Amino acid sequence: SQWLRLQDVEKVRPDHHFYSYWDTTLSQALVRETELFVDSLIREDRPVTDLLTADHTFVNERLAKHYGIPNILGEEYRRVTIADPNRRGVLGQGSVLLLTSIADRTSPVLRGKWVMEVLLASPPPPPPPNVPSLDDSVKASGGGKMLSTRERMEEHRKNPACTSCHKVIDPLGLALENFDVTGAWRIKDNEVPVDVVGDLYDGTKMDGPAGLRDALLKHSDVFLTGFTESLMTYALGRRIEYTD
């Protein structure tokens, strides 16, 4: 929970204007899903990379409805196979997608930052001072057209002080834009078709959640080293030093 930042799920309360069906039971169920998922990998002695690739998860009726999985009734969690390659592993789980969002919109920056910090153990530098934040309101362009999150971010990135970091962070988060704040699948954002294509910092083309996962697996040595370091930090109760 500490490694994946699951405690942050409780900090995000999706805006009821956008998510009329939201309730605390769902946020608790999303966290429980991830806990049971990781627990299953440990008990079965699966490779650490299964955190990204596993084709199963755990749902009860509440979660199954949220994800659109049929024929699951009752409060008990059960293991289900995931057919959709975009939904596999922690990148397709609502807990991670919710904790990296804001109340009324997704945040590709928070999602990209989470991928860099948690999965690649490479936190981005803090933003420079006096940089205006991404406008949280839904702005319209000159023609009155609604702007998607990606389009608003592109406006924000025109500031030269922001470009160098954002060109690394943003594509990681934008690859997950098919998932809304709560982790439900969507094809439009503010009536604009979602665009999930981008480049990893090494030039690897990414297309959606499955493309992001494949790109991360190309760097599985970084993922495994970062995971091991986090595990050692937890076991020792202190930061890992070069002498370790």
Side-chain angles (χ1 to χ4, degrees):
S1 289
Q2 290 175 1
W3 177 57
L4 296 175
R5 320 276 166 88
L6 296 185
Q7 65 275 8
D8 291 350
V9 167
E10 282 304 309
K11 296 177 187 172
V12 183
R13 293 267 176 246
D15 191 313
H16 285 279
H17 173 67
F18 293 88
Y19 302 98
S20 55
Y21 58 86
W22 185 260
D23 59 56
T24 312
T25 353
L26 183 53
S27 64
Q28 290 167 346
L30 293 170
V31 171
R32 190 72 188 130
E33 173 194 13
T34 303
E35 289 173 347
L36 289 168
F37 170 71
V38 176
D39 183 70
S40 74
L41 300 184
I42 294 168
R43 289 178 187 280
E44 294 165 24
D45 200 20
R46 300 294 304 163
V48 177
T49 48
D50 271 25
L51 284 160
L52 299 176
T53 62
D55 66 351
H56 74 274
T57 191
F58 293 81
V59 296
N60 61 4
E61 183 176 353
R62 184 76 184 85
L63 263 188
K65 275 185 182 166
H66 183 63
Y67 288 144
I69 300 170
N71 307 322
I72 303 288
L73 300 173
E75 292 184 14
E76 185 186 339
Y77 289 83
R78 69 222 65 178
R79 183 176 176 137
V80 294
T81 300
I82 302 292
D84 181 359
N86 289 306
R87 192 57 90 174
R88 291 179 181 173
V90 290
L91 290 172
Q93 293 184 3
S95 59
V96 168
L97 298 160
L98 177 59
L99 72 88
T100 52
S101 294
I102 295 166
D104 63 349
R105 67 169 174 85
T106 56
S107 174
V109 175
L110 285 179
R111 287 180 176 177
K113 184 170 177 277
W114 185 92
V115 169
M116 290 184 72
E117 288 178 345
V118 175
L119 302 183
L120 295 173
S122 312
N130 307 320
V131 170
S133 65
L134 178 65
D135 183 5
D136 286 340
S137 64
V138 178
K139 295 193 302 183
S141 65
K145 181 176 77 75
M146 302 285 261
L147 295 182
S148 68
T149 302
R150 179 188 272 266
E151 289 168 331
R152 280 153 54 209
M153 286 177 65
E154 282 167 359
E155 287 293 314
H156 178 73
R157 279 169 58 179
K158 286 178 181 173
N159 183 333
C162 307
T163 303
S164 59
C165 284
H166 276 286
K167 70 181 180 188
V168 176
I169 303 169
D170 295 357
L172 297 166
L174 287 167
L176 298 170
E177 271 291 276
N178 276 128
F179 296 119
D180 73 7
V181 170
T182 68
W185 187 260
R186 63 180 182 177
I187 56 171
K188 288 189 175 180
D189 173 22
N190 287 329
E191 301 308 312
V192 181
V194 173
D195 178 3
V196 291
V197 177
D199 294 337
L200 190 65
Y201 50 80
D202 66 355
T204 303
K205 281 267 176 232
M206 298 182 294
D207 186 352
L212 170 59
R213 185 181 64 240
D214 291 345
L216 293 173
L217 289 171
K218 271 183 65 178
H219 297 279
S220 58
D221 54 333
V222 178
F223 173 57
L224 294 171
T225 304
F227 175 82
T228 307
E229 194 168 310
S230 295
L231 194 59
M232 280 185 71
T233 301
Y234 178 74
L236 296 169
R238 62 168 174 80
R239 290 183 182 279
I240 302 301
E241 304 294 342
Y242 74 95
T243 48
D244 295 309

